[in-house]
Amino acid sequence: MAASKQEKPTPISRFLELLASEKKIIGYIYIYAIFAGLINLSLPLGIQSLIGFVSGGQMVTSVSVLVFLVIVGVLIVGGLQVMLLSLVELIQQRIFAQTSFRFASHLTRLRGDQAFSHDLPELMNRFFDVISLQKGLAKLLTDFSAAAIQIIFGLILLSFYHPYFIFFGLILVAILVLILRLSGPKGMKTSLEESKYKYRLVHWLEEVARAIPIFKTAGNDNLALEKTDYYTSGYLRARKAHFKVLISQYIGFVGFKTFITAGLLLMGSFLLLNQEINLGQFVASEIIIILIINAVEKLMVKLDSVYDVLTSVEKIGTVTDLPVINAPGTILETPQSTKGVNLQLKQVSYRYPTQSQPTVQDVSLQIGPSQKICLSGPEGSGRTTLLRIAAGLLPDHEGVVIYNGLPLKNVHPTAFYDQVSTCLSLHPLFDGTIWQNIVMGHQSTKPETVLWALDCVELTEYVQSLPEGFHTHIHSNAPEISPAVAQQLALARCIVRKPALLLLDQFLPEVDKPVRDRIAQRILGTHTPWAVLIVSNELSIRQWCQKNLLMLDGRLVREISADEKFLMNYLSTSKYTYRPTLLSKGGVGWLKFQRNNIQTGTNILWLKPVFSHTQFQLGAV
């Protein structure tokens, strides 16, 4: 039974986790903020003492010393603020660097099925939330922290003046919590909604840019503008709803501020008239009250920064929450008696989440070292999916995949991909040099090995003819490189490390047939040390394989017989054009070869019955 999914973290829990990773530096920030808050209280205390001195007629030494201490306090607070800002800048840099490496590392360890469930390039746009996180976190650690400490220390100091002020502090805290409790969840919801439409709009603009020839030749820009209008309208609606929450929070604070200010002034005046506090305490308390009110206002006005930070950590989490390959630590080791890789698939089945029927059904297959096996069949028969399962890209399959006696789920990914190389349909090139696209960061790869790989795919002269050779920069969509060359480079990337097993899908479909046949001889010949599992319907490819298996509707039907291969070879070398077709006659499957001759007309050759199946066309061989 599959393990239950872990509960998704909340934005607040993600934020607390982020703070925990930087707790040492944040600890220093709060120490500086506390000292700064304590020294800031020297202003009202100094004014209180100054009024006392003036009232007592002490105007010389005591006043001068007091003014000097207050000025020194202001300077110290300024220095602490500079140190605090330096620490915040350090945290901002660390968050940017850590998130960038976390994204890159997470992508390379991502489970293969996630590439089919998500648009991964579009998800990478969430990285830009790091900028919002940096700015918002800076405000939270400086302005918000200073304001919170100022409120706490101010309330503590007021409580020493009179017990009534304790009651004021409790009311202040209770009202603040009530305002945030009532409006906070809605503010978080509207902020996430706003961000959702923002990314949808960016994704649509990227799609338009990616398919710009289609949109330019459409004759109008109606579709581009319609969808842009839809996402923009959604964003503006969410933005207005979010702003409405912020305004309601601020309006509530204004009413609260008016009530508290009036109440405290009346309370202070009452206490002063009843001589429960002196004039200096009254003035100091009013200054402290003004500082507290200003600190609360700073918190309320900048609540949008809190929402931005929580939204940012949530959006970053949509990438880092994607499941990765578990690496339990078992290292793939080839047994001493085996030269290469032995692959076994036992009763393997797989169904894509968006489909009702399985794409691969109860497939069992074995490939020995240096063995070449070809999977033939129509499009949609499950051949490519079977390759993905063998490559470890679809881990949620049923059945067992075994490499050299070890279940695939117990094989360490690094060791696995050191021995197994995949070249699935139209492997893309990435933005980088030709050398980087072939070597893939393996520092131990020698130049002579790279040249050997290029010779195998017949690209040596092509690369040598480029002005910058291996340092030629190519883009991800490779507009300057033909599809044929791109596929040859992808194949060179697969063989450069001389793996023990090659998994190949649709062998170089864009390459000219004579070149493709020569490359196939080098890759599939008996002299090559690696085993190969290849998907192809081409006779020139199948003839190099020891086994040719027919796959239909997700099942391995049978092995193509030697008689059928002989007939295919005969027809391919004759002067006739031909097209093999699998069809049903009387509920029994037959393999029909049709030869067309201009002089004699059409001849039809029938083989023995091969299987029970409905009619379909296998395609040109």
Side-chain angles (χ1 to χ4, degrees), residues 163-181:
Y164 287 168
F165 288 117
I166 299 177
F167 179 69
F168 154 74
L170 294 177
I171 293 179
L172 173 65
V173 173
I175 293 179
L176 283 176
V177 172
L178 182 63
I179 291 175
L180 296 177
R181 183 69 177 175

Side-chain angles (χ1 to χ4, degrees), residues 600-615:
T600 62
T602 301
N603 297 319
I604 298 178
L605 299 176
W606 293 89
L607 289 183
K608 60 183 180 180
V610 288
F611 61 92
S612 296
H613 196 264
T614 57
Q615 183 174 353

Side-chain angles (χ1 to χ4, degrees), residues 332-354:
L332 176 63
E333 295 180 353
T334 303
Q336 295 296 326
S337 59
T338 303
K339 297 180 180 179
V341 166
N342 189 297
L343 164 67
Q344 290 178 283
L345 289 83
K346 296 183 177 180
Q347 297 179 327
V348 171
S349 299
Y350 183 80
R351 180 180 65 84
Y352 288 99
T354 58

Side-chain angles (χ1 to χ4, degrees), residues 175 179 183 243-259 297 300-301 303:
I175 293 179
I179 291 175
S183 59
F243 183 70
K244 185 177 180 180
V245 173
L246 294 175
I247 285 295
S248 65
Q249 290 175 334
Y250 189 68
I251 290 175
F253 166 72
V254 170
F256 159 74
K257 175 182 177 181
T258 304
F259 171 77
E297 184 174 13
M300 299 302 295
V301 170
L303 270 179

Side-chain angles (χ1 to χ4, degrees), residues 259-565:
F259 171 77
I260 291 295
T261 303
L264 287 176
L265 288 173
L266 292 174
M267 183 188 299
S269 301
F270 174 77
L271 294 174
L272 179 62
L273 291 175
N274 288 331
Q275 297 183 349
E276 296 187 39
I277 59 174
N278 56 41
L279 179 61
Q281 290 175 328
F282 173 76
V283 174
S285 65
E286 295 306 315
I287 293 175
I288 293 172
I289 290 168
I290 292 173
L291 291 175
I292 291 175
I293 295 297
N294 288 336
V296 173
E297 184 174 13
K298 183 182 294 184
L299 291 177
M300 299 302 295
V301 170
K302 296 184 178 180
L303 270 179
D304 60 325
S305 298
V306 176
Y307 293 125
D308 288 343
V309 167
L310 295 178
T311 300
S312 297
V313 296
E314 178 68 15
K315 289 301 179 181
I316 292 173
T318 59
V319 176
T320 55
D321 285 349
L322 295 177
V324 297
I325 298 174
N326 293 322
T330 303
I331 303 299
L332 176 63
E333 295 180 353
T334 303
Q336 295 296 326
S337 59
T338 303
K339 297 180 180 179
V341 166
N342 189 297
L343 164 67
Q344 290 178 283
L345 289 83
K346 296 183 177 180
Q347 297 179 327
V348 171
S349 299
Y350 183 80
R351 180 180 65 84
Y352 288 99
T354 58
Q355 296 181 350
S356 58
Q357 297 297 324
T359 304
V360 172
Q361 302 182 61
D362 197 28
V363 172
S364 295
L365 173 68
Q366 182 170 357
I367 304 177
S370 304
Q371 189 177 20
K372 278 73 176 178
I373 295 181
C374 180
L375 296 177
S376 298
E379 291 297 327
S381 59
R383 298 172 300 165
T384 299
T385 300
L386 190 64
L387 282 188
R388 290 171 178 169
I389 294 173
L393 299 180
L394 298 175
D396 291 334
H397 60 80
E398 297 179 5
V400 183
V401 179
I402 300 174
Y403 279 92
N404 288 345
L406 295 176
L408 179 58
K409 294 181 179 179
N410 298 131
V411 176
H412 195 284
T414 301
F416 173 71
Y417 290 114
D418 276 344
Q419 297 200 39
V420 179
S421 188
T422 63
C423 190
L424 301 183
S425 55
L426 301 180
H427 259 202
L429 301 177
F430 57 86
D431 193 276
T433 64
I434 289 179
W435 180 271
Q436 291 170 339
N437 269 272
I438 296 176
V439 175
M440 293 295 296
H442 290 275
Q443 302 297 331
S444 60
T445 305
K446 298 179 180 180
E448 53 266 28
T449 307
V450 177
L451 291 174
W452 165 82
L454 287 179
D455 284 337
C456 288
V457 299
E458 300 194 5
L459 278 186
T460 303
E461 292 184 4
Y462 171 81
V463 174
Q464 291 173 346
S465 66
L466 296 174
E468 298 184 30
F470 283 108
H471 295 297
T472 300
H473 192 92
I474 54 180
H475 299 90
S476 55
N477 57 349
E480 69 279 13
I481 292 182
S482 68
V485 172
Q487 292 174 12
Q488 288 168 274
L489 285 174
L491 182 57
R493 173 199 300 160
C494 290
I495 65 174
V496 71
R497 288 186 288 122
K498 299 182 179 179
L501 174 64
L502 280 175
L503 302 174
L504 306 177
D505 187 18
Q506 301 298 346
F507 191 76
L508 306 177
E510 298 292 337
V511 179
D512 292 338
K513 190 176 186 309
V515 178
R516 182 167 65 246
D517 290 344
R518 291 197 299 270
I519 297 176
Q521 182 178 359
R522 299 188 188 99
I523 302 299
L524 303 174
T526 55
H527 62 282
T528 56
W530 48 59
V532 177
L533 181 59
I534 187 171
V535 168
S536 181
N537 286 333
E538 283 196 76
L539 178 61
S540 58
I541 301 298
R542 292 202 303 251
Q543 68 181 358
W544 291 104
C545 299
Q546 286 86 19
K547 283 187 179 181
N548 287 266
L549 303 178
L550 183 62
M551 196 165 182
L552 300 171
D553 289 339
R555 299 179 183 274
L556 281 181
V557 177
R558 61 183 179 80
E559 183 177 353
I560 298 176
S561 68
D563 292 339
E564 293 166 340
K565 285 192 290 185

Side-chain angles (χ1 to χ4, degrees), residues 38-283:
L38 289 172
I39 297 173
N40 268 330
L41 293 178
S42 64
L43 178 61
L45 292 175
I47 292 176
Q48 173 186 334
S49 301
L50 184 61
I51 293 175
F53 289 146
V54 172
S55 301
Q58 303 176 15
M59 290 293 296
V60 187
T61 306
S62 299
V63 173
S64 301
V65 172
L66 187 60
V67 170
F68 174 76
L69 291 177
V70 171
I71 293 174
V72 170
V74 172
L75 291 174
I76 293 176
V77 169
L80 291 174
Q81 288 290 339
V82 172
M83 297 174 67
L84 189 147
L85 291 174
S86 300
L87 291 176
V88 170
E89 172 63 20
L90 178 60
I91 288 182
Q92 288 179 308
Q93 294 178 10
R94 284 168 59 93
I95 288 176
F96 187 92
Q98 289 174 356
T99 306
S100 62
F101 283 104
R102 189 177 180 185
F103 268 46
S105 175
H106 203 83
L107 279 174
T108 56
R109 295 184 296 113
L110 206 61
R111 278 178 33 172
D113 56 345
Q114 297 304 302
F116 312 111
S117 305
H118 302 278
D119 187 346
L120 296 181
E122 190 275 329
L123 277 181
M124 294 305 102
N125 289 330
R126 275 63 174 178
F127 182 80
F128 291 108
D129 268 301
V130 174
I131 308 301
S132 299
L133 179 58
Q134 287 177 304
K135 294 180 179 179
L137 189 60
K139 292 181 180 179
L140 263 61
L141 293 178
T142 54
D143 297 344
F144 277 67
S145 299
I149 291 172
Q150 196 170 47
I151 292 172
I152 295 172
F153 285 167
L155 293 175
I156 294 174
L157 186 58
L158 282 177
S159 65
F160 287 109
Y161 288 144
H162 199 279
Y164 287 168
F165 288 117
I166 299 177
F167 179 69
F168 154 74
L170 294 177
I171 293 179
L172 173 65
V173 173
I175 293 179
L176 283 176
V177 172
L178 182 63
I179 291 175
L180 296 177
R181 183 69 177 175
L182 293 177
S183 59
K186 187 175 181 181
M188 193 67 233
K189 180 180 178 181
T190 53
S191 180
L192 289 171
E193 187 76 6
E194 172 190 339
S195 180
K196 179 183 71 174
Y197 277 104
K198 175 181 67 177
Y199 281 112
R200 286 181 176 178
L201 176 59
V202 171
H203 182 222
W204 171 242
L205 295 176
E206 288 175 341
E207 287 296 299
V208 174
R210 186 179 294 115
I212 193 63
I214 298 175
F215 285 91
K216 286 180 69 68
T217 57
N220 60 71
D221 56 358
N222 291 344
L223 179 60
L225 294 179
E226 284 174 7
K227 295 196 70 171
T228 300
D229 176 69
Y230 173 76
Y231 293 130
T232 302
S233 299
Y235 171 82
L236 292 177
R237 285 195 303 270
R239 180 77 177 180
K240 289 178 181 178
H242 184 61
F243 183 70
K244 185 177 180 180
V245 173
L246 294 175
I247 285 295
S248 65
Q249 290 175 334
Y250 189 68
I251 290 175
F253 166 72
V254 170
F256 159 74
K257 175 182 177 181
T258 304
F259 171 77
I260 291 295
T261 303
L264 287 176
L265 288 173
L266 292 174
M267 183 188 299
S269 301
F270 174 77
L271 294 174
L272 179 62
L273 291 175
N274 288 331
Q275 297 183 349
E276 296 187 39
I277 59 174
N278 56 41
L279 179 61
Q281 290 175 328
F282 173 76
V283 174

